[in-house]
Amino acid sequence: MESAEKNDVIKLIDNSELKSLSPMSKSKADLNDVNVDEMCNGKNLMEVQDDNSTEEVQRFPTDPADWLRTASFIKFCAVHGVDQNNNDNFIQSKNQYSVGKVRFCNKTMFFSKLPNGEQISRAWLVYSHKLGKVFCAPCWLFKNESSNLANDGFNDWKNAHKRLKEHEGSLNHKTCLLKLKDLGQEQGRLDSMLLVQIKHEKMYWRSVLERVVSVIKTLASRGLPFRGQEEIFGSSKNGNYMMLLELLSEFDPFLAQHISKYGNSGSGTTSYLSSTICDEIIVLMAKKVKEVIINEVKSRKYYSIVVDSTPDITHSDQLAFILRYVSDKGAPTERFLEFIPKVGHKSLEIAETVIMTIDNLKLNISDCRGQSYDTAKNMSGCYNGLQARIKNINPLAFYIPCAAHSLNLVGSHAVECCNEAATFFGLMQNIYVFFSSSTHRWDLLNNNMVSKSRTLKALSNTRWSSRDSACLSLNENWSAVLATLTYIMDDDTENNITRNEAKGLMNKISSLETAIMSVVWGFLLSRLNVTSNKLQNVNIDCLDVLQFYDSLIRLIEQTRENFDDFETEALAKAVRKNYKITTTRKKKRKVFHDESESEDVNLSARDSFKIHTFIPILDKLKTELETRRHAYDIFCKPFTFLTKIKELDNQEIRKSVKLLQNIYKNDVEFNDFINEVLHLKAHVDVISIGEKHNLLSLQTFLYEKDLTNIYPNIEIILRIFTCTAVTNCSAERSFSCLKRVKNYLRSTMTQQKVNSFAILNIENQITRQLSFDDIIDNFATDKSRRKMI
């Protein structure tokens, strides 16, 4: 634009051309004194915060019928544009041409079509809902008298496309449009130099914060500590946060210059490098990660809850809150949200906390479809437990005991059923304590070991199935343990207490019964442990749990008949090859009149061990597995027909669909559901879903082939089934993070900071994907800053 035209624009804004140019005519003095709040009362508003002033937010109406040609409004439109109101229903634009001939404004009028078929938006065209007409914003603002679009509005819809094309090609329209665009550019403003300076200042501080956020993301996503003993750049005790900034500054001249200028400037000087700013950004990042998770859950509707508690370093109980849902790609997902302190152990207290947390997260508890906790009475009680209290609110929130925890209890109960098994595990722990309590004895043991890759392990009190590693290490080092105990027992240089302990351990481990127990439990624990590890996978579902439990039951049934094989293996490693003959006096049983004393069975030592030790252990394992399997079978049974629809006839399918639909009446409709299942049956007859034909693979098939819109009700049922948690292992894993985050050096950390560190570390995949701009914008929005960002 030429300078003369620029002067005309400035003159127009500053002088008398702003007089009575509005449909509601006002003088210049009236316009200067106009109350924008009063003018816009009850109207749709456009709002903007002026970056160059400390005034209130500027507000302007969006409907052209309410516009006033004020300097501030023209400036606003030049910088921020106008709202076209093109999402209106255009009912008010009705124009009657003749009987039965009615036309309306439509969205196509807001686009200009080029000869090659491309479309260009008419950003200058604005619709007035009150008048039912369209206006040209630039021509209206700069009073182009040559067109109705700039004055009274246009509503000749029959000839609209022709007239609009003529208008946008006119010289007056293009002049007004150029004036408006030029006014919006910084070069055409009186304060352009100030704006350039502010822009450079903002770029500088945003560059500083980008580096700060990058360091924080790196440390937080890995759960590493931030602070050191000192907060001084150049000190060797300033912690990981300042250490990384110093490291970056060695290769980044910009950051090096900033640190040298502001690094140790002290309080009262803005540097954005302090621990206060660091903590604020950590909280904002955690809030952003939490928002991402909640938005994902809301978009997928159905979810299940997982909670568990543990004491932290300050002996304060922390309740971990986890949500499980199905992602938009069809994969089961479990997300940590927060630790809740000092909830208590009563079911009522926990239930109130869980319900309040769900409400605070703006989630609908009626969309909860599952619960998974451990088997403690306050959690699993069928009358007053947490699961019962949640089901009273939402009957569809089915409770499923943690499959991995239940498997741990299966092994624990099997050990308790006979003294020989309990004695064996006590002996394993005593052997480990005997050698590990002395570096001298540990070295003697290592010297006798053929392979030093697997040393003796202690028993775990919480993860029972992990005793597999302790039993495996003992079996692999059996000969080394015997040789070392023999050496210590015969060594005259050892004190008598040590020699006696070695002799006692040697006497116990040498027996054939101990050798059999080591072989039997080595086999059983290895199977229990690999199954437990599989059950801890996030991708596990309830049908998988049933299959794993069934496989263990069949394995134990087969093992029950294999005592001879275990005995043969044990004889090869045992020192004493004979069973211990009991010397306990046999209690004489009363003989009844219809039997003789000869009917008493005198068992051999071998048969006695087999009947009273080996078989009870296996029978107890089988009984416990069958009992706990029942809880998973109840939930899975209505869904299982989907895994075998090829084999079922239509009548059986209809019956199964009706049974499932009766449970989820408000989620799926029967007729649509049955039609989709019949269609799917025909579909899978011609297409292979995969080797593992279960519900999760079926769901993956629907998502990969983009068939969810063809089978929406089946997808809903599969999503409900998959989102139901079957373990609380994610809560258990979050405890490891808690131990790292809140350790003895950071025991005074606030709960907000604990939760922020925990969610950034546990959900590090989301943390690393956070945008720098989003974090910095939130930082600038939430806090009043001394510097422009």
Side-chain angles (χ1 to χ4, degrees), residues 28-269:
K28 180 179 180 181
D30 292 335
L31 291 172
N32 291 335
D33 297 333
V34 69
N35 187 322
V36 178
D37 289 340
E38 182 178 327
M39 178 186 76
C40 301
N41 186 28
K43 303 176 177 66
N44 294 327
L45 302 177
M46 299 183 287
E47 299 187 356
V48 66
Q49 174 69 51
D50 191 347
D51 291 337
N52 306 318
S53 69
T54 58
E55 296 177 359
E56 296 293 327
V57 173
Q58 300 180 56
R59 292 168 289 177
F60 300 99
T62 61
D63 197 304
D66 301 317
W67 285 359
L68 293 176
R69 289 188 186 94
T70 63
S72 58
F73 181 56
I74 294 176
K75 178 182 176 181
F76 172 85
C77 293
V79 177
H80 302 283
V82 294
D83 189 345
Q84 292 185 272
N85 304 320
N86 56 356
N87 290 322
D88 197 276
N89 54 21
F90 303 117
I91 296 298
Q92 299 297 329
S93 66
K94 178 179 179 181
N95 196 346
Q96 186 85 34
Y97 286 89
S98 60
V99 179
K101 295 288 180 102
V102 178
R103 291 182 182 269
F104 295 86
C105 178
N106 58 71
K107 283 191 176 183
T108 61
M109 298 178 186
F110 292 86
F111 295 90
S112 175
K113 191 172 183 180
L114 300 180
N116 65 354
E118 295 181 353
Q119 288 186 335
I120 298 177
S121 174
R122 290 182 173 130
W124 47 267
L125 192 64
V126 183
Y127 174 73
S128 171
H129 175 78
K130 292 184 178 181
L131 301 177
K133 299 179 179 181
V134 292
F135 291 82
C136 174
C139 293
W140 188 94
L141 292 171
F142 295 106
K143 195 185 177 185
N144 179 5
E145 301 283 0
S146 63
S147 174
N148 286 337
L149 284 162
N151 298 295
D152 300 327
F154 179 84
N155 66 344
D156 184 8
W157 314 124
K158 183 177 181 180
N159 304 301
H161 287 286
K162 180 179 179 181
R163 295 289 178 260
L164 290 174
K165 186 168 180 146
E166 291 175 355
H167 177 79
E168 66 184 349
S170 67
L171 179 61
N172 289 334
H173 167 76
K174 291 182 177 181
T175 301
C176 294
L177 188 59
L178 286 173
K179 286 181 180 180
L180 190 65
K181 287 183 176 294
D182 192 64
L183 183 62
Q185 295 177 356
E186 294 179 359
Q187 290 78 7
R189 298 175 59 170
L190 298 176
D191 56 353
S192 59
M193 295 301 295
L194 178 61
L195 290 176
V196 171
Q197 183 180 353
I198 291 175
K199 182 178 180 180
H200 288 167
E201 189 81 1
K202 291 170 66 175
M203 290 176 61
Y204 177 87
W205 291 109
R206 288 186 74 91
S207 298
V208 173
L209 283 174
E210 283 178 358
R211 290 156 173 81
V212 170
V213 170
S214 180
V215 171
I216 293 174
K217 285 170 63 174
T218 301
L219 292 175
S221 63
R222 288 162 175 77
L224 298 174
F226 279 66
R227 306 258 67 83
Q229 297 180 13
E230 299 175 347
E231 196 173 338
I232 301 174
F233 282 97
S235 171
S236 60
K237 302 177 181 179
N238 56 15
N240 292 332
Y241 172 64
M242 286 189 169
M243 179 268 291
L244 279 182
L245 289 174
E246 290 174 342
L247 177 62
L248 288 177
S249 67
E250 294 183 10
F251 307 94
D252 186 353
F254 171 81
L255 185 58
Q257 182 181 4
H258 181 77
I259 291 176
S260 64
K261 185 176 181 180
Y262 298 103
N264 296 323
S265 57
S267 60
T269 303

Side-chain angles (χ1 to χ4, degrees), residues 249-294:
S249 67
E250 294 183 10
F251 307 94
D252 186 353
F254 171 81
L255 185 58
Q257 182 181 4
H258 181 77
I259 291 176
S260 64
K261 185 176 181 180
Y262 298 103
N264 296 323
S265 57
S267 60
T269 303
T270 302
S271 67
Y272 292 140
L273 301 176
S274 66
S275 59
T276 303
I277 298 299
C278 177
D279 290 344
E280 290 178 0
I281 294 177
I282 289 171
V283 172
L284 288 173
M285 290 173 65
K287 182 180 178 182
K288 182 66 176 178
V289 171
K290 197 171 184 178
E291 288 177 356
V292 170
I293 295 173
I294 296 303

Side-chain angles (χ1 to χ4, degrees), residues 515-582:
I516 294 176
M517 283 287 95
S518 69
V519 175
V520 171
W521 280 113
F523 171 75
L524 294 176
L525 286 174
S526 67
R527 296 299 89 205
L528 291 174
N529 191 40
V530 295
T531 304
S532 179
N533 291 336
K534 192 66 177 179
L535 291 175
Q536 296 173 33
N537 197 321
V538 174
N539 293 326
I540 207 77
D541 62 36
C542 201
L543 276 176
D544 291 331
V545 175
L546 277 178
Q547 292 172 1
F548 285 127
Y549 271 57
D550 286 340
S551 66
L552 287 175
I553 291 172
R554 289 192 296 270
L555 176 66
I556 291 171
E557 289 174 348
Q558 297 168 4
T559 304
R560 197 175 187 273
E561 308 300 326
N562 296 336
F563 179 76
D564 293 343
D565 296 336
F566 291 119
E567 184 184 41
T568 302
E569 186 178 350
L571 285 170
K573 61 191 298 186
V575 176
R576 296 195 294 268
K577 308 297 183 181
N578 297 319
Y579 290 92
K580 181 175 63 176
I581 300 176
T582 178

Side-chain angles (χ1 to χ4, degrees), residues 222-223 310-311 320 336 339 463 729-743 746 758 761-762:
R222 288 162 175 77
T310 189
F336 168 85
F339 287 115
R463 292 177 295 130
C729 296
S730 292
E732 296 280 355
R733 283 189 282 268
S734 70
F735 298 158
S736 299
C737 175
L738 178 64
K739 304 301 181 186
R740 293 194 306 271
V741 169
K742 193 172 183 180
N743 54 34
R746 298 191 283 179
N761 179 219
I762 296 172

